[in-house]
Every structure is written in C-alpha cells, then in structure tokens.
Amino acid sequence: MVRGTDVVPSDPAADAAAVFDLLSGVVVAQTLRALAALRIADHLADGAMTAEELAEREGSHPQATYRLMRAASSLGLLSHEGRHRFALTGRGRLLRSGVPGSLRSLVLTQTGHSHWQSWAHFPDAVRQGASQTKKALGSDIFEYFAQPENADEAALFAQAMGDLSGLVTQGAVGAVSIAGVSTVVDVGGANGDFVLALMEANPQLSGQVLDLPHAVESARGEAEKRGLSDRFSAVAGDFFAEVPSADLYLLKTIMHDWDDTQCAVILRNCRSAVNEGGRALVVEMVIGEIGKPDFATRADMTMLTMTNGMERDLDEFDVLFAASGWRRSQTYPVGGGYFGMELVAV
C-alpha cells in the first residue's frame, strides 16, 4: 500500500523554511500594527521621508523607526529610496487614515487588545469548539464592546467594519436587483453604510437600520450627513427577537458571527416578517475548494477565536437557508473576496 507521505518527496530544509515563514505571521501582524499606530502612512502621504525625519515628527525612536520602516519595505508596504528615505507603496497607502479603502482601523482592531488576548486561547477554542473570548476578556466580544470603558475600542471596531464594508458595498449595490422593492432593512447594519449607499443609488427606496442601542445613533448621524434622513430610520432592537417588515433584507457579514442555530433564528425572523414577494441579500465570504489557498479559511479561524460563528461554503449556506424558509436564487462576487447571495422566500 502506498502511504500519502510516500507520494510527494519531502525536503526537510524547505519544509522548515516554509514553517518559519508561516510562523513569522505574528511578526508581520505586529509590524502592520506599529505602522498604523505610528501613522507612518499618514506621515508619508506627501512624499518620501527619512526615518529620522519621520521619527522627529512622530516622537518615536529614530533607530527603531528606521528598523520598522526597513522591515515594512521588505514586506512591500514601503519602498526604499536610498539614504534611509522611504515612500509609500500601493499596499502602504491602505494604512492611511480617513481615505477610501483604508484598512488602518482593521489592522488596529485585529492586532489590538481584544483580539490579541483572545488568540492566546485559540487551542482551547479548537478543543472545545467554542470561542474563548469570555475567558480572555470576561465577556463575549459584543458585550465587551458595549461596555463604556471599551468605547474607544468599540469605535475603532465600528470604523474597521465600515471601512471593510466600503470594499464590498459598491459591488453589492451595483449587483443586487431592487425590482419591486420600496422598503429595505439593514439587519445589524451598524452605521447603515450599506442601506444608505443603496438609497443613494435608488431614490425611490426607504431604508432602515436595525441594531443594538449603542450603534443606531451613528446610523442616524450618517443618514443626516448624507441628506437621507427623510427616507431613513434607525431602530434599536434585537434581530434574535424580531425584525421589521420589508421588501428586502440586507444581511452583510452577519451570518459569520453566529452558529447555525442562531443564524436560523435570524433568517426565520426575516422570513416571518418579509413582505409578499420579498427577498434577502446575504453578503459573506464563501469557502472554496478544500486544499486551495483560500483567505476565507483563515477568516474562519478568526471567527472561531472571536465568536461562535464561522465562515461557510455554499453547501453549508444552502442547508441553512432551506432550514429557514429561504432558497438561494443568485450568487455573485461583490469584491474584497465577498459574495452576494440573493434569497427568495419559499
């Protein structure tokens, strides 16, 4: 019998180098954090600077700043222009603050206190099949963000989710059919970026955000800023209890936060409240073929660490939809590795 280990010859030195490279992911992540925290990309936005010039502006240690920028250059985040001068690359520009497509807040969130402490318990999450965030933080992640003393971290998380939303919202707005739709509810919609973008593109729509009390004020403010308050409302509520009636439900990156039982409750509540002929749009990563490079599988490890949710493949989604009174009618990429899945009621 031919064993699997006999099929492909192994090069121990190359294998060790590959594992070392994988292990350096922790270094890469914290290098990204330091670049974001020290606002390196913001300092370099107007042109190349020496590490010494940047350190003086930021108030950081000159030699340590040079070492950080040298490491960032080896990662393709900065380019070395000679004589200790560094400039932004396309990747590096994604770490600027307050610009479209920024990933700065996401970097700071993923490498910050709540996430980093939770990752320390990851083996136990695998052993038990459940997030260990409560062990690390004293509460689950959403309860943690709702605590007043964690308001700054919660705001950063909300900003990160909003920035990430920007990567997929435009694609989803352009792809989803709004035929027969006049009312849209963004379920767990935070600041309402998705539904507000859909309303901007379709002036006949009225929109609403359903989210926890600490989130709805930001949605109202965003609607006012965009001049959409007359067609928009934000309701504090619990999507596990009930959702408002609508022609179209938007569930963007909601399903991956919860297990199948919890997702079925959310979907069934939408199914019970949907207007006749109404639909739902689920936007999530979709896991592809096993064994192929797939960022969604790494995102799935984050969900196991931080929540009791998961990323899913299409078969897993379809089982979930069928158990909740929905059927997937269309699936299409919307950008950033995310897919839109349109559902019709059955």
Side-chain angles (χ1 to χ4, degrees):
M1 183 177 70
V2 178
R3 295 174 298 171
T5 53
D6 295 331
V7 175
V8 179
S10 176
D11 180 340
D15 289 342
V19 172
F20 274 121
D21 190 52
L22 292 172
L23 184 60
S24 74
V26 64
V27 179
V28 173
Q30 289 299 338
T31 297
L32 283 166
R33 177 170 178 79
L35 290 170
L38 273 64
R39 297 186 180 273
I40 301 293
D42 290 340
H43 291 308
L44 295 176
D46 294 328
M49 298 175 64
T50 66
E52 291 76 13
E53 290 170 336
L54 194 149
E56 183 177 1
R57 180 182 292 189
E58 177 60 29
S60 56
H61 188 279
Q63 185 187 30
T65 302
Y66 168 70
R67 292 165 65 188
L68 170 65
M69 296 173 77
R70 179 175 63 186
S73 179
S74 75
L75 295 171
L77 296 161
L78 301 178
S79 62
H80 185 229
E81 307 296 307
R83 295 183 173 271
H84 288 197
R85 291 177 64 82
F86 294 88
L88 286 176
T89 64
R91 295 178 188 178
R93 280 192 286 273
L94 295 176
L95 298 181
R96 288 185 60 190
S97 56
V99 297
S102 173
L103 296 178
R104 179 176 181 271
S105 295
L106 183 65
V107 166
L108 291 173
T109 294
Q110 294 275 8
T111 59
H113 175 78
S114 60
H115 282 62
W116 213 248
Q117 294 300 312
S118 298
W119 272 108
H121 300 277
F122 182 61
D124 287 338
V126 177
R127 288 189 181 99
Q128 299 178 27
S131 168
Q132 301 297 298
T133 300
K134 186 168 290 189
K135 179 189 293 186
L137 303 176
S139 66
D140 73 34
I141 189 62
F142 298 113
E143 292 171 346
Y144 174 85
F145 285 142
Q147 295 166 8
E149 62 270 29
N150 300 319
D152 289 345
E153 200 171 352
L156 189 67
F157 175 78
Q159 180 63 54
M161 295 302 98
D163 291 341
L164 187 60
S165 174
L167 295 175
V168 302
T169 294
Q170 185 175 0
V173 167
V176 64
S177 169
I178 51 102
V181 174
S182 61
T183 56
V184 184
V185 170
D186 198 343
V187 180
N191 71 349
D193 181 67
F194 193 3
V195 68
L196 292 171
L198 195 61
M199 291 166 62
E200 286 176 326
N202 301 278
Q204 75 277 24
L205 294 181
S206 294
Q208 185 176 89
V209 159
L210 172 71
D211 212 319
L212 297 174
H214 72 273
V216 296
E217 283 304 319
S218 65
R220 293 186 184 116
E222 186 65 24
E224 184 175 357
K225 185 170 69 176
R226 299 192 192 196
L228 296 171
S229 295
D230 60 328
R231 295 189 281 130
F232 177 80
S233 61
V235 176
D238 180 359
F239 49 48
F240 289 115
E242 61 179 345
V243 301
S245 62
D247 300 319
L248 176 65
Y249 293 104
L250 306 177
L251 298 107
K252 182 175 64 61
T253 58
I254 298 297
M255 298 291 98
H256 75 164
D257 285 333
W258 309 101
D259 63 29
D260 285 352
T261 300
Q262 293 166 313
C263 284
V265 171
I266 299 169
L267 289 167
R268 287 189 190 117
N269 285 340
C270 293
R271 176 64 183 86
S272 296
V274 69
N275 294 333
E276 185 175 356
R279 289 171 285 128
L281 174 66
V282 173
V283 177
E284 294 284 355
M285 290 186 180
V286 176
I287 294 175
E289 183 180 349
I290 296 175
K292 299 291 186 182
D294 189 350
F295 180 78
T297 60
R298 281 172 276 169
D300 188 38
M301 296 299 92
T302 300
M303 303 318 298
L304 179 57
T305 301
M306 299 306 303
T307 74
N308 284 325
M310 60 188 292
E311 307 294 348
R312 297 171 171 88
D313 61 30
L314 281 178
D315 289 340
E316 290 169 326
F317 274 118
D318 285 342
V319 170
L320 186 58
F321 299 150
S324 308
W326 297 95
R327 176 177 59 81
R328 179 168 56 92
S329 60
Q330 295 187 69
T331 304
Y332 39 75
V334 295
Y338 288 80
F339 290 81
M341 293 170 278
E342 288 193 32
L343 313 181
V344 295
V346 294

